[in-house]
Amino acid sequence: MAQLKIIVLMKQVPDPNVEVEIDEKTGVIKREKVEAVVNPLDLHALEEALRIKEKYGAHVTVISMGPPMAEAVLREAIALGADRAILLSDRALAGSDTLATSYALSKAIEKVGEYDLILCGLKATDGETGQVGPEISSFLGIPVLTYISKLELKDSRTIVAERIVEGGYQIVEASLPAIVTVVREINEPRLPTLRGKIKAKSAEIETWTVADIGVDPRNVGLEGSPTRVVKVYSAKIARRGRIVGGEDPEKAVDELIKFLMERGLI
Amino acid sequence: MSEHVGVLTVSEFRDGSLQPVSFELLNVGRKLADKLGKLADKLGAKLMTVLIGYKVKEHAMELIYRGADEVYVLDDKRFKDFIAETYANAIVHVIKNVKPEIVVASATTTGRTVMPKVAAMLRTGLTADCTSLDIDPEDKMLVQIRPAIGGNVMATIKTPRHRPQMATLRPKIYREAERDTSRSGKIIEVKPPEHIFETRVKVLGFRRDLSQEIDIEKADIVVAGGKGLKKKENFDLIFELAKVLGGAVGASRAAVDHGWIPYSHQIGLSGKTVSPRLYIAVGISGAIQHLAGMKTSETVVAINNDPDAPIFKVCDFGIVGDLFEILPILMEKLKRLKEGKA
């Protein structure tokens, strides 16, 4: 089998386990205290690429779009076993919505050139849109398989995969090249080895600008984004419920049961 | 831009029937169309829907009963199974012909896969997973509201210069449109051009997931557990309580992330949305991420040992206490109550 060429798309996100606060007066998000991490589902995407590489032999290129600090994501990918790392970084990209992001990433993918399989997480924890994978598939004119929990190579040109959808799993087959978005059930990501970490420290991270990928700055960033965020505010959902203490659990439970009976719920 | 008129919803058909999300879309679609109509000094703008599938024709009338003025039907054996490419091609074909101002689909796995493809093909914007849609009376634009930054904040989004304005809508936020059999409308059968079916994807089959005995999205009672349960074995308490109450089991993202329960039980922004008659949150702090998936529940009960947990601000009844003390007593009393009734 000819060596497969795999591209993995990875994003740096604010640590999803830390609750982000918002300045009520200015509507600005207080991000400074939140650590930046690799989008968790993208680690599953990379893991799947590395497993294919181990089993069949493959060359794995990782692309990340973001500010210069997103380089950390790429070093982590190298430490885990990726072969090539590209940071797509340009001030002109700031403020890109999913369409502009997908356009820029698909141009970067085209510059990489040959590819058989593109992998990425179903969605990122910050935007939670899940739109970039399918949008890239339209820009590149290749099939997209979303919500993938299981992926196998049937032969060098064909994948068979399972999609987690409402009520079960849809089993699909696609001929390559294709783009696949994965969910966490697909695998358990590995941890980097010491050797990998050492290698990552000195690894070359290529940095590409919009000019490098042949993109007109007007087609990306805020200007190239059809959608506009016009307001951001804290999500306040309030109900005025009765709160009882649990020092006397018996009493608290009795009150709860009384409440549920009054409402006809039990 | 001015040539774009009306609202188009994307109906969903699966397992031989129209999915309820189709009627939720027609409910919100009707509201948007009527508002647009009023602003333009008309009775109402046109509400259209597209129905794609195999043997779907006979279901088109139902969509008119639920509020559609026009139903565009694409009925073909090759649409039997959902394939992102062919469905996207079909939707783009209809949009290019009817030129709607607004397109709304449901944020199901289908909608969230096909709509971004459609948006990229049309080079327009798409707002994912909206929890509310409205028309701005001043600029007549679609106001798209969705949770952002992991669900901690809400964002209002507009699509100023591109048409159509497109959004996917979270299921179960809007009620299903009322059925009115006196309504009339037009059913238009669209003969899709052959190129629509060109794809390198084949559907091989479908495997039902039997792990969920009760579908949590349809359950009347949901008992959900979170980080407060501390370890996997303790999650049995949630299953037990759900069993006593005849409810389904849900979980917060933290519980799923810890591997205590499969993702299919996750409730919240990145999981499922439920709106049962009774929602019991046990050991769940209530991050916005979670609240986004259960806030439309009729009655919310919270049990948590942290008095400052945000879940207490959205509950109808809360116990600040140790769940490991409270749950056994609660189950004991509920069982006794049941026996007493029997």
Side-chain angles (χ1 to χ4, degrees):
Chain A
M1 193 189 289
Q3 196 189 43
L4 278 171
K5 293 193 168 54
I6 304 178
I7 295 175
V8 183
L9 306 174
M10 298 180 81
K11 186 183 187 187
Q12 192 176 52
V13 296
D15 188 344
N17 296 311
V18 178
E19 205 154 306
V20 176
E21 279 177 46
I22 177 168
D23 189 313
E24 290 282 348
K25 277 182 201 146
T26 60
V28 174
I29 293 133
K30 301 176 188 166
R31 272 191 184 223
E32 63 275 12
K33 280 182 204 149
V34 185
E35 203 188 330
V37 298
V38 182
N39 177 47
L41 286 181
D42 296 345
L43 286 171
H44 293 266
L46 177 62
E47 176 64 32
E48 202 58 21
L50 297 174
R51 287 185 189 198
I52 293 169
K53 179 180 168 180
E54 281 157 6
K55 216 164 158 187
Y56 305 99
H59 182 272
V60 178
T61 300
V62 177
I63 306 177
S64 187
M65 172 171 145
M69 70 183 270
E71 194 195 277
V73 167
L74 295 162
R75 295 220 179 267
E76 195 168 332
I78 297 264
L80 289 163
D83 300 297
R84 184 183 179 194
I86 297 159
L87 176 65
L88 180 58
S89 189
D90 196 312
R91 291 186 83 103
L93 295 167
S96 294
D97 70 358
T98 61
L99 189 82
T101 301
S102 306
Y103 173 64
L105 282 170
S106 50
K107 294 299 274 186
I109 291 164
E110 279 173 357
K111 185 177 154 93
V112 169
E114 278 181 66
Y115 58 87
D116 301 296
L117 181 62
I118 303 169
L119 289 160
C120 60
L122 174 74
K123 51 189 174 184
T125 50
D126 54 352
E128 294 251 7
T129 72
Q131 292 184 169
V132 169
E135 288 189 341
I136 287 175
S137 84
S138 284
F139 280 116
L140 296 176
I142 58 171
V144 63
L145 303 178
T146 55
Y147 296 87
I148 297 303
S149 60
K150 197 172 165 193
L151 179 66
E152 257 150 36
L153 281 176
K154 192 174 152 197
D155 54 56
S156 64
R157 301 309 311 153
T158 319
I159 50 171
V160 175
E162 291 194 7
R163 304 180 63 227
I164 294 194
V165 297
E166 293 82 2
Y169 299 83
Q170 189 192 39
I171 302 149
V172 289
E173 184 184 293
S175 64
L176 299 175
I179 180 165
V180 169
T181 75
V182 306
V183 295
R184 66 168 68 86
E185 279 81 355
I186 194 166
N187 56 40
E188 198 53 56
R190 70 194 62 193
L191 295 168
T193 58
L194 185 62
R195 227 181 88 201
K197 279 186 185 170
I198 293 166
K199 191 181 164 201
K201 264 189 191 161
S202 57
E204 187 207 354
I205 308 285
E206 296 164 62
T207 302
W208 291 358
T209 62
V210 292
D212 292 327
I213 56 171
V215 162
D216 184 331
R218 283 172 299 184
N219 291 331
V220 290
L222 268 182
E223 207 185 335
S225 296
T227 59
R228 281 273 177 287
V229 177
V230 293
K231 201 168 90 186
V232 178
Y233 54 99
S234 263
K236 287 254 160 63
I237 311 155
R239 288 177 198 232
R240 274 201 203 112
R242 231 178 91 217
I243 312 290
V244 301
E247 314 76 43
D248 182 351
E250 288 271 349
K251 196 173 153 243
V253 167
D254 283 340
E255 285 194 46
L256 171 58
I257 287 179
K258 196 172 150 236
F259 168 82
L260 293 175
M261 286 174 94
E262 277 167 10
R263 290 217 174 181
L265 291 163
I266 53 172
Chain B
M1 259 171 53
S2 57
E3 59 178 344
H4 289 82
V5 285
V7 177
L8 176 76
T9 70
V10 180
S11 292
E12 276 193 40
F13 188 87
R14 203 169 54 243
D15 296 336
S17 57
L18 282 169
Q19 294 302 300
V21 291
S22 312
F23 308 141
E24 294 169 21
L25 292 170
L26 288 173
N27 178 16
V28 71
R30 188 72 263 167
K31 284 179 183 146
L32 297 174
D34 289 348
K35 273 200 181 174
L36 277 175
K38 262 184 211 144
L39 290 166
D41 243 354
K42 285 185 292 187
L43 279 174
K46 206 160 50 172
L47 175 60
M48 303 162 279
T49 189
V50 53
L51 175 61
I52 304 166
Y54 179 47
K55 295 188 176 161
V56 292
K57 228 180 302 177
E58 62 258 43
H59 299 270
M61 201 59 211
E62 181 65 25
L63 296 168
I64 288 170
Y65 294 157
R66 302 283 186 153
D69 299 314
E70 290 176 0
V71 184
Y72 291 83
V73 183
L74 288 94
D75 198 325
D76 193 291
K77 201 170 179 189
R78 289 164 289 182
F79 287 134
K80 188 168 173 288
D81 296 304
F82 171 74
I83 295 175
E85 276 172 301
T86 54
Y87 272 57
N89 288 340
I91 294 167
V92 167
H93 179 73
V94 170
I95 290 175
K96 281 188 172 165
N97 280 291
V98 308
K99 294 191 176 61
E101 207 170 339
I102 292 168
V103 180
V104 189
S106 190
T108 53
T109 59
T110 297
R112 293 189 76 159
T113 301
V114 74
M115 296 315 288
K117 276 196 73 71
V118 170
M121 287 162 83
L122 297 170
R123 303 287 195 272
T124 188
L126 173 66
T127 304
D129 218 21
C130 293
T131 52
S132 170
L133 293 172
D134 202 354
I135 302 290
D136 185 326
E138 270 162 36
D139 57 22
K140 296 179 201 166
M141 278 187 214
L142 179 66
V143 179
Q144 306 152 61
I145 296 176
R146 75 179 299 260
I149 330 280
N152 293 306
V153 297
M154 300 299 285
T156 303
I157 293 162
K158 283 184 182 174
T159 310
R161 297 190 317 269
H162 296 68
R163 292 294 176 270
Q165 308 161 83
M166 309 212 309
T168 60
L169 181 74
R170 210 151 227 244
K172 295 208 82 172
I173 298 241
Y174 285 87
R175 288 185 191 283
E176 293 172 26
E178 300 280 337
R179 188 169 198 259
D180 176 358
T181 51
S182 69
R183 279 191 53 87
S184 61
K186 259 200 313 205
I187 295 169
I188 301 111
E189 284 182 47
V190 181
K191 175 121 183 55
E194 275 309 299
H195 72 84
I196 277 185
F197 298 103
E198 281 166 24
T199 176
R200 290 193 273 114
V201 177
K202 230 176 20 198
V203 174
L204 303 179
F206 193 87
R207 205 176 74 240
R208 294 231 156 267
D209 181 8
L210 302 171
S211 74
Q212 285 172 274
E213 282 174 32
I214 303 175
D215 185 347
I216 62 170
E217 283 164 302
K218 289 181 190 147
D220 269 342
I221 296 178
V222 174
V223 182
K227 208 156 48 182
L229 282 144
K230 296 198 173 107
K231 54 183 177 183
K232 190 172 181 166
E233 300 79 74
N234 294 340
F235 223 87
D236 290 347
L237 286 168
I238 302 298
F239 279 95
E240 267 178 67
L241 179 57
K243 204 176 154 200
V244 175
L245 288 165
V249 171
S252 70
R253 185 165 78 180
V256 173
D257 282 349
H258 280 103
W260 297 344
I261 185 160
Y263 171 66
S264 55
H265 292 266
Q266 186 173 318
I267 289 165
L269 191 61
S270 46
K272 290 185 170 145
T273 308
V274 297
S275 60
R277 289 186 59 218
L278 173 61
Y279 188 87
I280 305 185
V282 181
I284 291 177
S285 66
I288 300 288
Q289 146 77 229
H290 185 75
L291 302 184
M294 47 63 73
K295 66 177 178 194
T296 51
S297 304
E298 265 178 54
T299 297
V300 176
V301 170
I303 302 170
N304 201 303
N305 60 4
D306 174 10
D308 298 323
I311 191 81
F312 287 123
K313 294 201 182 87
V314 300
C315 74
D316 300 282
F317 192 97
I319 302 179
V320 181
D322 181 355
L323 69 94
F324 297 106
E325 276 179 22
I326 290 154
L327 285 199
I329 299 173
L330 177 60
M331 283 190 273
E332 187 53 43
K333 294 203 182 218
L334 285 172
K335 275 184 207 159
R336 241 185 288 153
L337 209 66
K338 237 164 124 187
E339 279 159 20
K341 269 186 196 164

